[in-house]
């Protein structure tokens, strides 16, 4: 098993640095709007310009998420999403794509119910590179963060506007892969970040860590993604992509034929924004 | 599992009661949680804070409330001597105000300018709106759309008191979703807002803090029973949703081994009628992580949280306070479950025999007493926490009895 330091996430950020550009991190929810459509989206994301992929693990009570991702979680659960099915999606994706990192993002209870040791073993075997678990702050590192690092899976931590200098070292201590800076105090998909404030925050983080810094929450358009790409190592777009999925559903929630093309087309626009940002 | 020397020392410095409790929250909230913990530790040790709380509880809430010998009920059941701890006589009609007085004083001390809270039946919402009126603080109450429909009188009360009631339309539109929305509000308004949690759940320090503020219930029972009977009670019975009235009654007695304790969960249609038919987290759930703590939860195999059902909107929560989970595992407190029908029968019995209309929540605890008291000796002293009055429930009860109001 590869160690965290030599893994796909580190290689991808090294390649981005070599290209002299920031990365695009895309978020979709596993099993949204259904398993097969999600598999097709995942498969198409790298060619559409996603440099890293965050795959949401649906949860009934996503308390850090806004309406768009709440709705996508409910769609996925209604369509039969489960932890084991999420890992199947990663396994199928990984069979055809060796390089693009996949980070699972979600809440702790479904992982806890699956069993931490079993989850880490199955996630590693499926080709998962990292985890972002919203409700596991450093105070609870013994639960999953430390076992994940031991299993060779990165534990990506969120730093926020409320994480002050005194607290930052604790937040960064067991973080690996990259640091995810939450650009606003709030939930996903609502207020937009101010690029100037974000630039200052990224500088502050860089004084404390050598890890790449990705910035997310409130980035909705190619222009906004470009603005973030000028000041950070990667821009994360989630709710806007998930909303694009929602816009391609029939009244009964089934995917319309053009869904995959439309969503990937939007990812291409985001990617063009990110790629052109420092030009 | 080894038995500790004391059951009253928890939680540890990380907020754990055994494996339960903890601080499972988003990073944005962590600095706030730590700030609340620090402020509470300081307030707890401050005689001025304790003094003001005591004075407010006496003059505004009306404490101490009586420990009442329920003579007719006792005669009817023909066994244990049943006492009611009359929390329903508190201002606002339930035990919830005890905790709200403590937390609003803490919020003011912390310099917070705005209060948010979640509510299910509306009792905690009313108590929060009440203290916010008293202390002149703007207040937003999150309440599920379903609960708003079944608790209209409390919604109107909150509005009269000046609170903004926000209807929660996400998820199942009940208490757990209201708690999700309150957490989303808090994470968005971190600078000026204080989250006034209504039960002994949530991230540390809330379970311990709310327990401490509610322990006035058990402290008074201890003193009052000593005065009336010259000894400690033999058993304590209280309903458990999140479990704040039960923790408040139980905690002062945890290290008195002769005092038995029974927490009564809501069995809804029956714990054996499927995972969505009841709200008995300990009796019918298993440990998991939700709303900032590890505790017994109603959940499916994949860790998705279930809705639960109870006739009582105040017990209709898929979790329970983490200290209860620990006390269950340690065997110190026994947890039982009572169905909707049993609670309805106890509700009517109490009204006719004692002239007291209890909250449906408290009627669950009473139903357990109805089951147990007849086979206990007449010198067995049994205390019911009559946690709230039932005026809010008359529409629900009328509906179940087929009466149109």
């Amino acid at each position: 098993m590869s160690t965290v330091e030599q893994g796909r996430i580190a290689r991808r950020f090294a390649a981005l640095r070599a290209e002299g550009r920031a990365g695009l991190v895309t978020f979709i929810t596993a099993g949204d709007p259904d398993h097969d459509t999600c598999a097709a989206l995942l498969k198409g994301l790298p060619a559409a310009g996603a440099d890293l992929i965050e795959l949401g693990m649906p949860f009934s009570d996503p308390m850090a998420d806004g309406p768009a991702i709440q709705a996508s979680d409910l769609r996925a659960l209604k369509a039969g999403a489960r932890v084991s099915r999420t890992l199947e999606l990663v396994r199928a994706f990984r069979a055809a794509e060796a390089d693009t990192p996949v980070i699972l993002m979600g809440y702790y209870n479904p992982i806890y119910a699956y069993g931490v040791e079993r989850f880490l073993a199955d996630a590693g075997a499926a080709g998962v590179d990292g985890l972002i678990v919203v409700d596991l702050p450093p105070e609870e590192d013994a639960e999953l963060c430390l076992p994940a690092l031991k299993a060779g899976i990165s534990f990506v931590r969120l730093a926020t506007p409320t994480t002050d200098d005194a607290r930052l070292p604790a937040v960064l201590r067991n973080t690996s892969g990259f640091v995810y800076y939450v650009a606003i105090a709030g939930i996903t998909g609502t207020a937009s970040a101010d690029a100037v404030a974000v630039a200052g925050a990224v500088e502050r983080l860089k004084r404390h860590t050598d890890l790449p810094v990705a910035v997310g929450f409130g980035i909705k358009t190619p222009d906004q993604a470009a603005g973030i790409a000028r000041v950070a190592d990667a821009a994360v777009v989630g709710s806007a992509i998930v909303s694009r999925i929602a816009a391609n559903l029939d009244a009964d929630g089934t995917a319309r034929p053009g869904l995959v093309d439309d969503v990937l087309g939007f990812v291409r626009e985001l990617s063009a924004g990110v790629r052109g940002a420092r030009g | 599992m080894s038995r500790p020397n004391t059951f009253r020392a928890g939680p540890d410095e990380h907020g754990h009661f055994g494996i339960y409790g903890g601080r499972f929250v988003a990073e944005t909230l962590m600095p706030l949680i730590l700030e609340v913990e620090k402020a509470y530790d300081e307030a707890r040790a401050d005689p001025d804070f304790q003094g003001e709380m005591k004075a407010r509880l006496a003059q505004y809430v009306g404490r101490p409330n009586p420990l009442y010998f329920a003579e007719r009920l006792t005669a009817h059941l023909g066994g244990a001597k049943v006492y009611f701890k009359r929390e329903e006589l508190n201002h606002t009609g339930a035990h919830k105000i005890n905790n709200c007085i403590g937390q609003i004083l803490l919020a003011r001390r912390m310099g917070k300018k705005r209060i948010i809270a979640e509510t299910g039946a509306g009792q905690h919402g009313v108590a929060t709106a009440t203290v916010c009126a008293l202390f002149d603080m703007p207040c937003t109450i999150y309440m599920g759309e379903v609960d708003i429909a079944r608790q209209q009188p409390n919604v109107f009360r909150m509005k009269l008191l000046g609170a903004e009631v926000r209807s929660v339309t996400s998820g199942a539109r009940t208490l757990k979703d209201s708690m999700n929305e309150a957490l989303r509000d808090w994470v968005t308004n971190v600078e000026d807002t204080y989250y006034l949690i209504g039960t002994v759940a949530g991230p540390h320090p809330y379970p311990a803090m709310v327990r401490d503020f509610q322990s006035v219930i058990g402290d008074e029972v201890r003193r009052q029973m000593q005065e009336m009977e010259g000894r400690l009670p033999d058993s304590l019975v209280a309903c458990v949703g999140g479990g704040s009235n039960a923790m408040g009654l139980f905690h002062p007695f945890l290290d008195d081994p002769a005092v038995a304790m029974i927490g009564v969960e809501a069995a809804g249609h029956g714990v054996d009628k499927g995972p969505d038919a009841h709200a008995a987290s300990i009796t019918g759930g298993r440990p998991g992580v939700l709303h900032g703590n590890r505790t017994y939860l109603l959940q499916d195999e994949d860790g998705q949280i279930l809705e639960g059902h109870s006739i009582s909107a105040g017990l209709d929560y898929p979790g329970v306070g983490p200290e209860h989970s620990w006390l269950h595992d340690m065997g110190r407190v026994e947890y039982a479950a009572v169905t909707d029908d049993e609670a309805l029968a106890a509700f009517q019995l109490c009204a006719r025999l004692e002239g007291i209309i209890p909250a449906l929540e408290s009627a669950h605890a009473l139903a357990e007493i109805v089951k147990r008291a007849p086979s206990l000796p007449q010198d067995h002293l049994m205390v019911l926490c009559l946690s709230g009055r039932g005026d809010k429930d008359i529409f629900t009860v009328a509906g179940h009895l087929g009466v149109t109001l």
Side-chain angles (χ1 to χ4, degrees), chain B residues 90-102:
Chain B
N90 292 340
H91 177 45
T92 73
H95 71 290
K96 293 291 186 187
I97 190 88
N98 303 330
N99 166 49
C100 288
I101 291 282

Side-chain angles (χ1 to χ4, degrees), chain A residues 154-165:
Chain A
S154 290
F155 200 83
V156 176
R157 190 93 61 191
L158 304 175
T160 73
T162 59
T163 312
D164 59 22
D165 280 334

Side-chain angles (χ1 to χ4, degrees), chain B residues 150-165:
Chain B
R150 59 180 173 177
Q151 299 288 345
Q152 273 298 323
N154 273 343
V155 175
F156 187 59
R157 253 174 225 132
M158 286 185 265
K159 287 179 179 168
L160 279 176
L161 291 161
E164 179 199 2
V165 180

Side-chain angles (χ1 to χ4, degrees), chain B residues 159-234:
Chain B
K159 287 179 179 168
L160 279 176
L161 291 161
E164 179 199 2
V165 180
R166 279 197 202 158
S167 174
V168 175
T169 56
S170 58
R173 297 166 291 148
T174 58
L175 180 53
K176 85 173 170 72
D177 307 287
S178 303
M179 201 149 178
N180 291 336
E181 281 305 319
L183 286 165
R184 288 176 187 129
D185 181 316
W186 205 21
V187 97
T188 309
N189 299 288
V190 286
E191 289 300 324
D192 65 340
T193 298
Y194 181 89
Y195 183 12
L196 206 163
I197 294 182
T199 192
V200 286
H204 179 63
Y206 283 97
M209 175 168 67
V210 176
R211 173 201 70 199
D212 292 348
F213 290 147
Q214 291 294 1
S215 288
V216 66
I217 301 173
D219 288 338
E220 285 180 8
V221 167
R222 205 179 171 92
R223 199 169 59 241
Q224 291 166 323
M225 192 59 98
Q226 211 47 262
E227 284 164 11
M228 296 171 81
E229 297 278 357
R231 66 181 182 89
L232 293 179
D234 296 298

Side-chain angles (χ1 to χ4, degrees), chain A residues 58-63 65 70 77 82-83 109-110 112 134-135 137 139-140 143 158 160 162-163 167 171 185-186, chain B residues 22-28 30-31 34 170 176 180 184 187-188 190 286-289 294 299 302-305:
Chain A
F59 185 45
S60 53
D61 294 79
M63 51 266 189
D65 285 299
Q70 289 174 40
L77 290 171
R82 303 178 58 79
V83 173
N109 200 52
Y112 183 68
V134 177
D135 52 355
E139 280 74 6
E140 305 291 350
E143 295 285 336
L158 304 175
T160 73
T162 59
T163 312
R167 191 170 161 75
V171 169
Chain B
R23 289 177 285 213
F24 296 88
V25 296
E27 173 58 27
T28 315
M30 265 317 297
L34 295 172
S170 58
K176 85 173 170 72
N180 291 336
R184 288 176 187 129
V187 97
T188 309
V190 286
R286 63 179 208 280
V289 174
R294 182 177 1 242
Q299 55 183 320
D302 208 43
Q304 305 298 337
I305 308 304

